[in-house]
Amino acid sequence: MGEMTSFQLGVVGALFLSVASSVSIVICNKALMSNLGFPFATTLTSWHLMVTYCTLHVALKFNFFENKPIDMKTVMLFGILNGVSIGFLNLSLGFNSIGFYQMTKLAIIPFTVLLETLFLKKQFSKNIKFALFILLIGVGIASITDLQLNFVGTILSLLAIVTTCVGQILTNTIQKRLNISSTQLLYQSAPFQAAILFVTGPVVDQFLTKQNVFAYKYSPIVVGFIVLSCLIAVSVNFSTFLVIGKTSPVTYQVLGHLKTCLVLGFGYTLLHDPFTSRNIIGILVAIVGMGLYSYFCVNETKRKQVGDMAQVKERDTTAPLLTGKNGQVKENNSIV
């Protein structure tokens, strides 16, 4: 009884940490870039990754996970792609409102489905397609009426969607092919992502903002928000693995819908982002689509598991066992 209560408390704590950290980092970064005038999103991302890698290295020393070496070429290519995608996501946050940024993240899933259908020949059921159709309607309603929609922000969002989709597909492929966990992959690739963004970040930021990150006058409050953002980034990564480990990836997806609602709500109340009735309707429709997507995925997974169990049971019944001398069990391999 005590162990069950302890486990339940651990799950609740993991869910709370995931929600709190995810909402906090979006609000913190938005305040840092928009309100405090620190527009260097790509450089900030490199600092996030460096702090995350250092934290994972400490966790490795304390045997929280086991390190597994990966082919250097694979890690480097993976790090470049993911570094670029993370940079685009942060730039999208800096150039768009929180609402449009969240819609960009929601749109990643249907684009991933599209790429998998075209290039990996993966099949999706009608229910899944219907759910994604509802999601796209919501994204369209919310994005078209977003008062902070701009050309640069839209281009950055599209680039973020494409690179993130390809990165997620490769993440799944690499983990299956090399039989490694997401934590091991993150630990191996984080230094390359951080190094790439640390070198290219200031150049990209100066090109986009016409400002130099090294010439920026860092006030105590800006430094404080940067440190806070890096610490929250570690918490976001840690809580992601914690939630998936204690529950399931599907639960983490469902939890993401709650994060979206909270982020949009805080963005409106704290940062005074423009919010209209059409924004609200579009976001609600998109969240309904995401909910249906998760629901249908759970049902199809259960049906697949039942089908697999039935096949295993059928194979067992087609190979009857005979008892031989001295109670030994022999398989009936005779041909009729």
Side-chain angles (χ1 to χ4, degrees), residues 65-66 68 70 171 174-176 178-187 241:
F65 69 96
E66 181 181 356
K68 186 175 182 179
I70 308 174
T171 300
I174 292 174
Q175 290 187 49
K176 288 183 177 180
L178 300 181
N179 192 27
I180 59 176
S181 67
S182 55
T183 307
Q184 292 170 330
L185 183 59
L186 176 62
Y187 177 72
F241 298 123

Side-chain angles (χ1 to χ4, degrees), residues 310-325:
Q311 291 179 359
V312 172
K313 186 176 180 180
E314 183 179 355
R315 286 197 300 267
D316 292 339
T317 56
T318 56
L321 298 178
L322 299 178
T323 303
K325 295 180 180 181

Side-chain angles (χ1 to χ4, degrees), residues 35-296:
N35 295 36
L36 298 178
F38 184 84
F40 311 108
T42 311
T43 303
L44 180 64
T45 303
S46 69
W47 299 342
H48 286 171
L49 288 167
M50 282 189 286
V51 175
T52 298
Y53 171 73
C54 292
T55 304
L56 287 176
H57 188 70
V58 173
L60 179 63
K61 294 298 182 181
F62 283 92
N63 297 320
F64 281 101
F65 69 96
E66 181 181 356
N67 184 27
K68 186 175 182 179
I70 308 174
D71 176 65
M72 185 65 65
K73 182 179 179 180
T74 301
V75 172
M76 289 184 64
L77 293 176
F78 179 79
I80 291 174
L81 179 61
N82 279 272
V84 170
S85 67
I86 294 174
F88 280 138
L89 281 173
N90 276 343
L91 285 171
S92 176
L93 175 60
F95 282 87
N96 294 302
S97 65
I98 289 182
F100 191 78
Y101 170 74
Q102 289 297 328
M103 291 301 103
T104 298
K105 294 180 68 176
L106 287 176
I108 290 173
I109 291 181
F111 275 93
T112 302
V113 171
L114 177 62
L115 291 178
E116 288 185 324
T117 302
L118 293 177
F119 298 102
L120 300 182
K121 308 302 179 183
K122 187 175 181 180
Q123 300 297 322
F124 294 89
S125 67
K126 293 182 179 180
N127 288 336
I128 295 295
K129 293 179 180 179
F130 172 75
L132 295 176
F133 176 71
I134 298 297
L135 169 63
L136 289 176
I137 291 178
V139 172
I141 294 174
S143 61
I144 291 174
T145 59
D146 196 317
L147 298 179
Q148 293 190 12
L149 183 67
N150 61 85
F151 179 76
V152 175
T154 303
I155 296 299
L156 290 172
S157 294
L158 291 175
L159 291 173
I161 291 172
V162 172
T163 54
T164 303
C165 289
V166 176
Q168 289 180 351
I169 293 174
L170 287 179
T171 300
N172 181 270
T173 303
I174 292 174
Q175 290 187 49
K176 288 183 177 180
R177 180 167 63 88
L178 300 181
N179 192 27
I180 59 176
S181 67
S182 55
T183 307
Q184 292 170 330
L185 183 59
L186 176 62
Y187 177 72
Q188 291 289 331
S189 62
F192 295 98
Q193 298 179 52
I196 292 168
L197 292 176
F198 185 77
V199 173
T200 63
V203 178
V204 174
D205 288 336
Q206 186 169 8
F207 173 76
L208 294 175
T209 65
K210 309 302 180 183
Q211 299 182 51
N212 191 331
V213 64
F214 300 109
Y216 182 83
K217 295 182 179 180
Y218 293 86
S219 63
I221 188 172
V222 170
V223 174
F225 267 87
I226 291 174
V227 173
L228 179 62
S229 180
C230 291
L231 294 177
I232 297 174
V234 176
S235 180
V236 169
N237 292 323
F238 173 74
S239 63
T240 297
F241 298 123
L242 192 62
V243 169
I244 294 176
K246 287 185 173 293
T247 57
S248 68
V250 174
T251 302
Y252 183 75
Q253 291 180 14
V254 174
L255 188 65
H257 311 329
L258 174 60
K259 296 176 187 178
T260 300
C261 297
L262 293 176
V263 166
L264 292 169
F266 280 115
Y268 173 70
T269 56
L270 299 180
L271 303 179
H272 306 291
D273 274 2
F275 222 57
T276 66
S277 59
R278 294 193 65 178
N279 287 129
I280 297 175
I281 294 173
I283 291 168
L284 291 177
V285 171
I287 292 176
V288 169
M290 290 295 297
L292 290 174
Y293 177 81
S294 298
Y295 174 77
F296 291 139

